[in-house]
mmCIF file of all heavy atoms in Angstrom:
data_model
loop_
_atom_site.group_PDB
_atom_site.id
_atom_site.type_symbol
_atom_site.label_atom_id
_atom_site.label_comp_id
_atom_site.label_asym_id
_atom_site.label_seq_id
_atom_site.Cartn_x
_atom_site.Cartn_y
_atom_site.Cartn_z
ATOM 1 N N PHE X 1466 94.129 144.725 83.631
ATOM 2 C CA PHE X 1466 93.003 145.261 84.401
ATOM 3 C C PHE X 1466 92.902 146.785 84.241
ATOM 4 O O PHE X 1466 91.836 147.383 84.068
ATOM 5 C CB PHE X 1466 93.060 144.769 85.876
ATOM 6 C CG PHE X 1466 92.121 145.491 86.747
ATOM 7 C CD1 PHE X 1466 90.723 144.993 86.831
ATOM 8 C CD2 PHE X 1466 92.432 146.594 87.528
ATOM 9 C CE1 PHE X 1466 89.849 145.660 87.733
ATOM 10 C CE2 PHE X 1466 91.565 147.233 88.385
ATOM 11 C CZ PHE X 1466 90.277 146.798 88.339
ATOM 12 N N ARG X 1467 94.031 147.404 84.323
ATOM 13 C CA ARG X 1467 94.057 148.843 84.206
ATOM 14 C C ARG X 1467 93.666 149.295 82.834
ATOM 15 O O ARG X 1467 93.202 150.492 82.610
ATOM 16 C CB ARG X 1467 95.326 149.490 84.706
ATOM 17 C CG ARG X 1467 96.528 148.952 84.063
ATOM 18 C CD ARG X 1467 97.797 149.284 84.799
ATOM 19 N NE ARG X 1467 99.015 148.718 84.165
ATOM 20 C CZ ARG X 1467 100.034 148.183 84.733
ATOM 21 N NH1 ARG X 1467 100.056 148.221 86.188
ATOM 22 N NH2 ARG X 1467 101.031 147.723 84.184
ATOM 23 N N MET X 1468 94.049 148.482 81.804
ATOM 24 C CA MET X 1468 93.685 148.732 80.431
ATOM 25 C C MET X 1468 92.204 148.890 80.305
ATOM 26 O O MET X 1468 91.580 149.826 79.750
ATOM 27 C CB MET X 1468 94.277 147.907 79.524
ATOM 28 C CG MET X 1468 94.020 148.204 78.024
ATOM 29 S SD MET X 1468 92.523 147.730 77.386
ATOM 30 C CE MET X 1468 92.391 145.968 77.514
ATOM 31 N N TRP X 1469 91.466 147.807 80.826
ATOM 32 C CA TRP X 1469 90.005 147.766 80.806
ATOM 33 C C TRP X 1469 89.369 148.846 81.511
ATOM 34 O O TRP X 1469 88.424 149.523 81.071
ATOM 35 C CB TRP X 1469 89.562 146.426 81.308
ATOM 36 C CG TRP X 1469 89.688 145.281 80.323
ATOM 37 C CD1 TRP X 1469 90.564 144.249 80.573
ATOM 38 C CD2 TRP X 1469 88.964 145.071 79.167
ATOM 39 N NE1 TRP X 1469 90.585 143.504 79.437
ATOM 40 C CE2 TRP X 1469 89.495 143.815 78.621
ATOM 41 C CE3 TRP X 1469 87.971 145.657 78.619
ATOM 42 C CZ2 TRP X 1469 89.015 143.319 77.418
ATOM 43 C CZ3 TRP X 1469 87.427 145.151 77.328
ATOM 44 C CH2 TRP X 1469 87.862 143.929 76.774
ATOM 45 N N VAL X 1470 89.843 149.259 82.746
ATOM 46 C CA VAL X 1470 89.264 150.319 83.546
ATOM 47 C C VAL X 1470 89.405 151.731 82.842
ATOM 48 O O VAL X 1470 88.463 152.343 82.560
ATOM 49 C CB VAL X 1470 89.825 150.408 84.905
ATOM 50 C CG1 VAL X 1470 89.416 151.516 85.663
ATOM 51 C CG2 VAL X 1470 89.498 149.013 85.683
ATOM 52 N N LEU X 1471 90.634 151.957 82.495
ATOM 53 C CA LEU X 1471 90.935 153.284 81.875
ATOM 54 C C LEU X 1471 90.297 153.349 80.422
ATOM 55 O O LEU X 1471 89.828 154.408 79.992
ATOM 56 C CB LEU X 1471 92.434 153.643 81.806
ATOM 57 C CG LEU X 1471 93.059 153.754 83.287
ATOM 58 C CD1 LEU X 1471 94.555 153.895 83.021
ATOM 59 C CD2 LEU X 1471 92.467 154.954 83.934
ATOM 60 N N GLY X 1472 90.320 152.278 79.685
ATOM 61 C CA GLY X 1472 89.843 152.222 78.344
ATOM 62 C C GLY X 1472 88.332 152.355 78.199
ATOM 63 O O GLY X 1472 87.834 153.299 77.577
ATOM 64 N N LEU X 1473 87.625 151.718 79.139
ATOM 65 C CA LEU X 1473 86.139 151.877 79.184
ATOM 66 C C LEU X 1473 85.765 153.248 79.690
ATOM 67 O O LEU X 1473 84.780 153.861 79.143
ATOM 68 C CB LEU X 1473 85.582 150.812 80.058
ATOM 69 C CG LEU X 1473 85.535 149.370 79.396
ATOM 70 C CD1 LEU X 1473 85.087 148.343 80.451
ATOM 71 C CD2 LEU X 1473 84.652 149.317 78.189
ATOM 72 N N ALA X 1474 86.514 153.677 80.693
ATOM 73 C CA ALA X 1474 86.170 155.073 81.159
ATOM 74 C C ALA X 1474 86.432 156.152 80.107
ATOM 75 O O ALA X 1474 85.501 157.023 79.911
ATOM 76 C CB ALA X 1474 87.044 155.370 82.471
ATOM 77 N N SER X 1475 87.520 156.032 79.278
ATOM 78 C CA SER X 1475 87.824 156.978 78.276
ATOM 79 C C SER X 1475 86.710 156.937 77.205
ATOM 80 O O SER X 1475 86.204 157.954 76.613
ATOM 81 C CB SER X 1475 89.114 156.647 77.625
ATOM 82 O OG SER X 1475 90.072 156.767 78.569
ATOM 83 N N CYS X 1476 86.245 155.679 76.810
ATOM 84 C CA CYS X 1476 85.254 155.512 75.825
ATOM 85 C C CYS X 1476 83.887 156.137 76.289
ATOM 86 O O CYS X 1476 83.248 156.897 75.466
ATOM 87 C CB CYS X 1476 85.071 153.994 75.571
ATOM 88 S SG CYS X 1476 83.838 153.715 74.258
ATOM 89 N N VAL X 1477 83.549 155.945 77.523
ATOM 90 C CA VAL X 1477 82.177 156.460 77.931
ATOM 91 C C VAL X 1477 82.267 158.044 78.071
ATOM 92 O O VAL X 1477 81.468 158.635 77.567
ATOM 93 C CB VAL X 1477 81.985 155.915 79.355
ATOM 94 C CG1 VAL X 1477 80.748 156.589 80.113
ATOM 95 C CG2 VAL X 1477 81.607 154.395 79.237
ATOM 96 N N LEU X 1478 83.387 158.537 78.635
ATOM 97 C CA LEU X 1478 83.465 160.021 78.744
ATOM 98 C C LEU X 1478 83.539 160.760 77.439
ATOM 99 O O LEU X 1478 82.877 161.759 77.233
ATOM 100 C CB LEU X 1478 84.694 160.379 79.572
ATOM 101 C CG LEU X 1478 84.537 159.962 81.054
ATOM 102 C CD1 LEU X 1478 85.931 160.206 81.803
ATOM 103 C CD2 LEU X 1478 83.395 160.701 81.826
ATOM 104 N N LEU X 1479 84.300 160.225 76.514
ATOM 105 C CA LEU X 1479 84.398 160.861 75.141
ATOM 106 C C LEU X 1479 83.070 160.759 74.477
ATOM 107 O O LEU X 1479 82.753 161.636 73.610
ATOM 108 C CB LEU X 1479 85.613 160.213 74.288
ATOM 109 C CG LEU X 1479 87.042 160.844 74.746
ATOM 110 C CD1 LEU X 1479 88.073 160.224 73.821
ATOM 111 C CD2 LEU X 1479 87.024 162.290 74.617
ATOM 112 N N SER X 1480 82.479 159.619 74.510
ATOM 113 C CA SER X 1480 81.180 159.364 73.820
ATOM 114 C C SER X 1480 80.147 160.432 74.348
ATOM 115 O O SER X 1480 79.460 161.085 73.552
ATOM 116 C CB SER X 1480 80.638 157.958 73.969
ATOM 117 O OG SER X 1480 81.458 157.096 73.577
ATOM 118 N N PHE X 1481 80.082 160.610 75.610
ATOM 119 C CA PHE X 1481 79.080 161.593 76.141
ATOM 120 C C PHE X 1481 79.454 162.950 75.729
ATOM 121 O O PHE X 1481 78.647 163.738 75.280
ATOM 122 C CB PHE X 1481 79.124 161.458 77.686
ATOM 123 C CG PHE X 1481 78.352 162.608 78.314
ATOM 124 C CD1 PHE X 1481 76.957 162.515 78.505
ATOM 125 C CD2 PHE X 1481 79.079 163.722 78.879
ATOM 126 C CE1 PHE X 1481 76.264 163.529 79.092
ATOM 127 C CE2 PHE X 1481 78.408 164.702 79.466
ATOM 128 C CZ PHE X 1481 76.888 164.616 79.589
ATOM 129 N N ALA X 1482 80.795 163.405 75.846
ATOM 130 C CA ALA X 1482 81.170 164.699 75.592
ATOM 131 C C ALA X 1482 81.030 165.055 74.089
ATOM 132 O O ALA X 1482 80.514 166.139 73.696
ATOM 133 C CB ALA X 1482 82.653 164.891 75.909
ATOM 134 N N ASN X 1483 81.339 164.167 73.201
ATOM 135 C CA ASN X 1483 81.233 164.447 71.711
ATOM 136 C C ASN X 1483 79.812 164.549 71.225
ATOM 137 O O ASN X 1483 79.431 165.313 70.444
ATOM 138 C CB ASN X 1483 81.993 163.287 70.954
ATOM 139 C CG ASN X 1483 83.503 163.662 70.835
ATOM 140 O OD1 ASN X 1483 83.836 164.739 70.292
ATOM 141 N ND2 ASN X 1483 84.312 162.819 71.487
ATOM 142 N N GLN X 1484 78.931 163.692 71.818
ATOM 143 C CA GLN X 1484 77.466 163.821 71.463
ATOM 144 C C GLN X 1484 76.843 165.069 72.135
ATOM 145 O O GLN X 1484 76.082 165.772 71.451
ATOM 146 C CB GLN X 1484 76.663 162.554 71.967
ATOM 147 C CG GLN X 1484 75.188 162.586 71.607
ATOM 148 C CD GLN X 1484 75.005 162.702 70.084
ATOM 149 O OE1 GLN X 1484 75.636 161.947 69.369
ATOM 150 N NE2 GLN X 1484 74.226 163.647 69.655
ATOM 151 N N PHE X 1485 77.286 165.436 73.334
ATOM 152 C CA PHE X 1485 76.834 166.656 73.947
ATOM 153 C C PHE X 1485 77.198 167.920 73.160
ATOM 154 O O PHE X 1485 76.358 168.742 72.951
ATOM 155 C CB PHE X 1485 77.411 166.689 75.376
ATOM 156 C CG PHE X 1485 76.901 167.845 76.136
ATOM 157 C CD1 PHE X 1485 75.684 167.723 76.860
ATOM 158 C CD2 PHE X 1485 77.598 169.141 76.212
ATOM 159 C CE1 PHE X 1485 75.342 168.846 77.630
ATOM 160 C CE2 PHE X 1485 77.193 170.142 77.011
ATOM 161 C CZ PHE X 1485 75.975 169.988 77.643
ATOM 162 N N PHE X 1486 78.428 167.995 72.677
ATOM 163 C CA PHE X 1486 78.879 169.128 71.879
ATOM 164 C C PHE X 1486 78.473 169.121 70.414
ATOM 165 O O PHE X 1486 78.547 170.118 69.753
ATOM 166 C CB PHE X 1486 80.446 169.229 72.013
ATOM 167 C CG PHE X 1486 80.859 169.802 73.351
ATOM 168 C CD1 PHE X 1486 81.596 168.943 74.157
ATOM 169 C CD2 PHE X 1486 80.661 171.056 73.752
ATOM 170 C CE1 PHE X 1486 82.145 169.374 75.387
ATOM 171 C CE2 PHE X 1486 80.985 171.440 75.043
ATOM 172 C CZ PHE X 1486 81.782 170.581 75.938
ATOM 173 N N TRP X 1487 77.988 167.888 70.002
ATOM 174 C CA TRP X 1487 77.636 167.734 68.610
ATOM 175 C C TRP X 1487 76.389 168.727 68.286
ATOM 176 O O TRP X 1487 76.345 169.124 67.025
ATOM 177 C CB TRP X 1487 77.238 166.311 68.344
ATOM 178 C CG TRP X 1487 76.908 165.965 66.862
ATOM 179 C CD1 TRP X 1487 75.736 165.688 66.329
ATOM 180 C CD2 TRP X 1487 77.856 165.844 65.880
ATOM 181 N NE1 TRP X 1487 75.719 165.497 64.999
ATOM 182 C CE2 TRP X 1487 77.146 165.509 64.717
ATOM 183 C CE3 TRP X 1487 79.227 165.953 65.674
ATOM 184 C CZ2 TRP X 1487 77.737 165.230 63.505
ATOM 185 C CZ3 TRP X 1487 79.806 165.717 64.555
ATOM 186 C CH2 TRP X 1487 79.136 165.391 63.364
ATOM 187 N N TYR X 1488 75.513 168.960 69.121
ATOM 188 C CA TYR X 1488 74.413 169.750 68.906
ATOM 189 C C TYR X 1488 74.755 171.254 68.983
ATOM 190 O O TYR X 1488 73.760 172.022 68.714
ATOM 191 C CB TYR X 1488 73.280 169.452 69.839
ATOM 192 C CG TYR X 1488 72.662 168.104 69.714
ATOM 193 C CD1 TYR X 1488 72.610 167.103 70.726
ATOM 194 C CD2 TYR X 1488 72.062 167.771 68.430
ATOM 195 C CE1 TYR X 1488 72.017 165.887 70.509
ATOM 196 C CE2 TYR X 1488 71.436 166.513 68.274
ATOM 197 C CZ TYR X 1488 71.443 165.595 69.274
ATOM 198 O OH TYR X 1488 70.880 164.384 69.198
ATOM 199 N N ARG X 1489 75.901 171.625 69.409
ATOM 200 C CA ARG X 1489 76.197 173.001 69.504
ATOM 201 C C ARG X 1489 76.196 173.714 68.169
ATOM 202 O O ARG X 1489 76.548 173.139 67.187
ATOM 203 C CB ARG X 1489 77.460 173.258 70.281
ATOM 204 C CG ARG X 1489 77.684 172.832 71.681
ATOM 205 C CD ARG X 1489 78.673 173.347 72.501
ATOM 206 N NE ARG X 1489 79.820 173.770 71.719
ATOM 207 C CZ ARG X 1489 80.797 174.715 72.127
ATOM 208 N NH1 ARG X 1489 80.548 175.326 73.142
ATOM 209 N NH2 ARG X 1489 81.805 174.999 71.298
ATOM 210 N N THR X 1490 75.951 175.088 68.303
ATOM 211 C CA THR X 1490 75.979 175.903 67.115
ATOM 212 C C THR X 1490 77.358 175.857 66.473
ATOM 213 O O THR X 1490 77.574 175.835 65.259
ATOM 214 C CB THR X 1490 75.548 177.347 67.345
ATOM 215 O OG1 THR X 1490 74.270 177.392 67.955
ATOM 216 C CG2 THR X 1490 75.607 178.217 66.178
ATOM 217 N N GLN X 1491 78.386 175.875 67.344
ATOM 218 C CA GLN X 1491 79.811 175.631 66.967
ATOM 219 C C GLN X 1491 80.216 174.312 67.430
ATOM 220 O O GLN X 1491 80.637 174.184 68.588
ATOM 221 C CB GLN X 1491 80.668 176.738 67.482
ATOM 222 C CG GLN X 1491 80.437 178.176 67.002
ATOM 223 C CD GLN X 1491 80.658 178.328 65.528
ATOM 224 O OE1 GLN X 1491 81.555 177.566 64.910
ATOM 225 N NE2 GLN X 1491 79.960 179.259 64.812
ATOM 226 N N PRO X 1492 80.034 173.240 66.744
ATOM 227 C CA PRO X 1492 80.299 171.937 67.162
ATOM 228 C C PRO X 1492 81.770 171.782 67.551
ATOM 229 O O PRO X 1492 82.612 172.341 67.012
ATOM 230 C CB PRO X 1492 80.044 170.972 65.979
ATOM 231 C CG PRO X 1492 79.053 171.719 65.058
ATOM 232 C CD PRO X 1492 79.604 173.195 65.172
ATOM 233 N N LEU X 1493 81.968 170.877 68.547
ATOM 234 C CA LEU X 1493 83.383 170.588 68.943
ATOM 235 C C LEU X 1493 83.511 169.122 68.977
ATOM 236 O O LEU X 1493 82.746 168.379 69.563
ATOM 237 C CB LEU X 1493 83.508 171.139 70.403
ATOM 238 C CG LEU X 1493 84.954 170.730 70.953
ATOM 239 C CD1 LEU X 1493 86.188 171.475 70.396
ATOM 240 C CD2 LEU X 1493 84.940 171.132 72.541
ATOM 241 N N SER X 1494 84.559 168.617 68.399
ATOM 242 C CA SER X 1494 84.843 167.226 68.395
ATOM 243 C C SER X 1494 86.140 166.994 69.198
ATOM 244 O O SER X 1494 87.203 167.515 68.901
ATOM 245 C CB SER X 1494 85.101 166.718 66.985
ATOM 246 O OG SER X 1494 85.392 165.360 66.999
ATOM 247 N N ILE X 1495 86.108 166.337 70.395
ATOM 248 C CA ILE X 1495 87.141 166.113 71.221
ATOM 249 C C ILE X 1495 87.781 164.862 70.769
ATOM 250 O O ILE X 1495 87.211 163.721 70.898
ATOM 251 C CB ILE X 1495 86.690 166.034 72.781
ATOM 252 C CG1 ILE X 1495 85.852 167.373 73.100
ATOM 253 C CG2 ILE X 1495 87.762 165.858 73.677
ATOM 254 C CD1 ILE X 1495 85.364 167.322 74.466
ATOM 255 N N SER X 1496 89.042 164.901 70.310
ATOM 256 C CA SER X 1496 89.684 163.825 69.791
ATOM 257 C C SER X 1496 90.193 162.894 70.921
ATOM 258 O O SER X 1496 90.265 163.205 72.077
ATOM 259 C CB SER X 1496 90.925 164.299 68.976
ATOM 260 O OG SER X 1496 91.946 164.710 69.769
ATOM 261 N N SER X 1497 90.592 161.723 70.606
ATOM 262 C CA SER X 1497 91.108 160.697 71.593
ATOM 263 C C SER X 1497 92.430 161.176 72.166
ATOM 264 O O SER X 1497 92.835 160.576 73.167
ATOM 265 C CB SER X 1497 91.294 159.395 70.903
ATOM 266 O OG SER X 1497 92.275 159.421 69.767
ATOM 267 N N ILE X 1498 93.019 162.077 71.599
ATOM 268 C CA ILE X 1498 94.359 162.652 72.110
ATOM 269 C C ILE X 1498 94.122 163.130 73.474
ATOM 270 O O ILE X 1498 95.002 162.994 74.437
ATOM 271 C CB ILE X 1498 94.965 163.703 71.176
ATOM 272 C CG1 ILE X 1498 95.446 163.034 69.918
ATOM 273 C CG2 ILE X 1498 96.061 164.443 71.834
ATOM 274 C CD1 ILE X 1498 95.957 163.994 68.849
ATOM 275 N N SER X 1499 93.041 163.759 73.849
ATOM 276 C CA SER X 1499 92.827 164.261 75.198
ATOM 277 C C SER X 1499 92.839 163.125 76.153
ATOM 278 O O SER X 1499 93.467 163.283 77.233
ATOM 279 C CB SER X 1499 91.410 164.898 75.224
ATOM 280 O OG SER X 1499 91.327 166.057 74.261
ATOM 281 N N ALA X 1500 92.144 162.050 75.786
ATOM 282 C CA ALA X 1500 92.166 160.861 76.777
ATOM 283 C C ALA X 1500 93.613 160.343 76.816
ATOM 284 O O ALA X 1500 94.084 159.788 77.826
ATOM 285 C CB ALA X 1500 91.195 159.840 76.291
ATOM 286 N N GLN X 1501 94.130 160.258 75.615
ATOM 287 C CA GLN X 1501 95.551 159.749 75.551
ATOM 288 C C GLN X 1501 96.496 160.407 76.513
ATOM 289 O O GLN X 1501 97.371 159.696 77.053
ATOM 290 C CB GLN X 1501 96.056 159.821 74.078
ATOM 291 C CG GLN X 1501 97.296 159.138 73.718
ATOM 292 C CD GLN X 1501 97.723 159.311 72.271
ATOM 293 O OE1 GLN X 1501 96.938 159.847 71.536
ATOM 294 N NE2 GLN X 1501 98.819 158.850 71.895
ATOM 295 N N ILE X 1502 96.377 161.677 76.709
ATOM 296 C CA ILE X 1502 97.238 162.343 77.606
ATOM 297 C C ILE X 1502 96.761 162.201 79.168
ATOM 298 O O ILE X 1502 97.544 161.873 79.930
ATOM 299 C CB ILE X 1502 97.118 163.864 77.330
ATOM 300 C CG1 ILE X 1502 97.511 164.149 75.871
ATOM 301 C CG2 ILE X 1502 98.035 164.654 78.290
ATOM 302 C CD1 ILE X 1502 98.847 163.626 75.477
ATOM 303 N N ALA X 1503 95.475 162.187 79.352
ATOM 304 C CA ALA X 1503 94.928 162.297 80.664
ATOM 305 C C ALA X 1503 95.137 160.924 81.379
ATOM 306 O O ALA X 1503 95.278 160.860 82.654
ATOM 307 C CB ALA X 1503 93.354 162.515 80.654
ATOM 308 N N VAL X 1504 95.167 159.760 80.668
ATOM 309 C CA VAL X 1504 95.253 158.432 81.305
ATOM 310 C C VAL X 1504 96.775 158.256 81.753
ATOM 311 O O VAL X 1504 96.860 157.273 82.580
ATOM 312 C CB VAL X 1504 94.745 157.391 80.365
ATOM 313 C CG1 VAL X 1504 93.322 157.585 80.019
ATOM 314 C CG2 VAL X 1504 95.651 157.124 79.155
ATOM 315 N N VAL X 1505 97.648 158.867 81.236
ATOM 316 C CA VAL X 1505 99.095 158.560 81.608
ATOM 317 C C VAL X 1505 99.447 158.615 83.139
ATOM 318 O O VAL X 1505 99.799 157.664 83.699
ATOM 319 C CB VAL X 1505 100.039 159.434 80.760
ATOM 320 C CG1 VAL X 1505 101.523 159.178 81.264
ATOM 321 C CG2 VAL X 1505 99.901 159.145 79.399
ATOM 322 N N PRO X 1506 99.097 159.778 83.786
ATOM 323 C CA PRO X 1506 99.271 159.726 85.246
ATOM 324 C C PRO X 1506 98.385 158.713 85.923
ATOM 325 O O PRO X 1506 98.853 158.187 86.910
ATOM 326 C CB PRO X 1506 98.980 161.210 85.603
ATOM 327 C CG PRO X 1506 98.082 161.745 84.569
ATOM 328 C CD PRO X 1506 98.561 161.030 83.335
ATOM 329 N N LEU X 1507 97.257 158.551 85.590
ATOM 330 C CA LEU X 1507 96.337 157.510 86.146
ATOM 331 C C LEU X 1507 96.865 156.075 85.956
ATOM 332 O O LEU X 1507 96.881 155.314 86.906
ATOM 333 C CB LEU X 1507 94.994 157.573 85.519
ATOM 334 C CG LEU X 1507 94.199 158.896 85.700
ATOM 335 C CD1 LEU X 1507 92.848 158.893 84.964
ATOM 336 C CD2 LEU X 1507 93.906 159.108 87.163
ATOM 337 N N GLY X 1508 97.421 155.833 84.752
ATOM 338 C CA GLY X 1508 98.043 154.502 84.601
ATOM 339 C C GLY X 1508 99.266 154.258 85.509
ATOM 340 O O GLY X 1508 99.383 153.174 86.102
ATOM 341 N N HIS X 1509 100.026 155.223 85.615
ATOM 342 C CA HIS X 1509 101.293 155.192 86.457
ATOM 343 C C HIS X 1509 100.885 155.100 87.906
ATOM 344 O O HIS X 1509 101.446 154.368 88.776
ATOM 345 C CB HIS X 1509 102.263 156.355 86.280
ATOM 346 C CG HIS X 1509 102.938 156.274 84.937
ATOM 347 N ND1 HIS X 1509 103.725 155.317 84.659
ATOM 348 C CD2 HIS X 1509 102.935 157.167 83.958
ATOM 349 C CE1 HIS X 1509 104.234 155.473 83.442
ATOM 350 N NE2 HIS X 1509 103.846 156.658 83.024
ATOM 351 N N LEU X 1510 99.840 155.815 88.420
ATOM 352 C CA LEU X 1510 99.197 155.716 89.707
ATOM 353 C C LEU X 1510 98.744 154.288 89.956
ATOM 354 O O LEU X 1510 98.998 153.742 91.090
ATOM 355 C CB LEU X 1510 98.124 156.796 89.909
ATOM 356 C CG LEU X 1510 97.430 156.766 91.295
ATOM 357 C CD1 LEU X 1510 98.409 157.124 92.326
ATOM 358 C CD2 LEU X 1510 96.247 157.696 91.303
ATOM 359 N N MET X 1511 97.895 153.695 88.992
ATOM 360 C CA MET X 1511 97.422 152.369 89.312
ATOM 361 C C MET X 1511 98.568 151.373 89.446
ATOM 362 O O MET X 1511 98.545 150.430 90.185
ATOM 363 C CB MET X 1511 96.539 151.963 88.142
ATOM 364 C CG MET X 1511 95.144 152.827 88.102
ATOM 365 S SD MET X 1511 94.127 152.471 86.676
ATOM 366 C CE MET X 1511 93.408 150.932 87.267
ATOM 367 N N ALA X 1512 99.685 151.567 88.553
ATOM 368 C CA ALA X 1512 100.773 150.634 88.615
ATOM 369 C C ALA X 1512 101.522 150.704 89.993
ATOM 370 O O ALA X 1512 102.085 149.660 90.408
ATOM 371 C CB ALA X 1512 101.758 151.010 87.464
#
């Protein structure tokens, strides 16, 4: 259950952020590593 919750949330947030920054004069691509780090404390909290 926590995989689905955190996985879908990561997918939605990164999709929004990367498309948002895609149009910038200096484009920024936020890699999955950011979500990879951020979900660790959330995963342990849910556990």
Side-chain angles (χ1 to χ4, degrees):
F1466 172 78
R1467 57 196 176 216
M1468 185 281 296
W1469 282 106
V1470 171
L1471 295 176
L1473 288 172
S1475 299
C1476 182
V1477 169
L1478 291 174
L1479 279 182
S1480 298
F1481 171 79
N1483 277 295
Q1484 183 58 50
F1485 185 85
F1486 286 113
W1487 185 254
Y1488 289 123
R1489 292 200 333 156
T1490 301
Q1491 295 295 332
L1493 172 69
S1494 178
I1495 302 176
S1496 71
S1497 59
I1498 289 177
S1499 303
Q1501 189 176 355
I1502 305 305
V1504 300
V1505 174
L1507 297 176
H1509 289 301
L1510 177 64
M1511 294 176 76

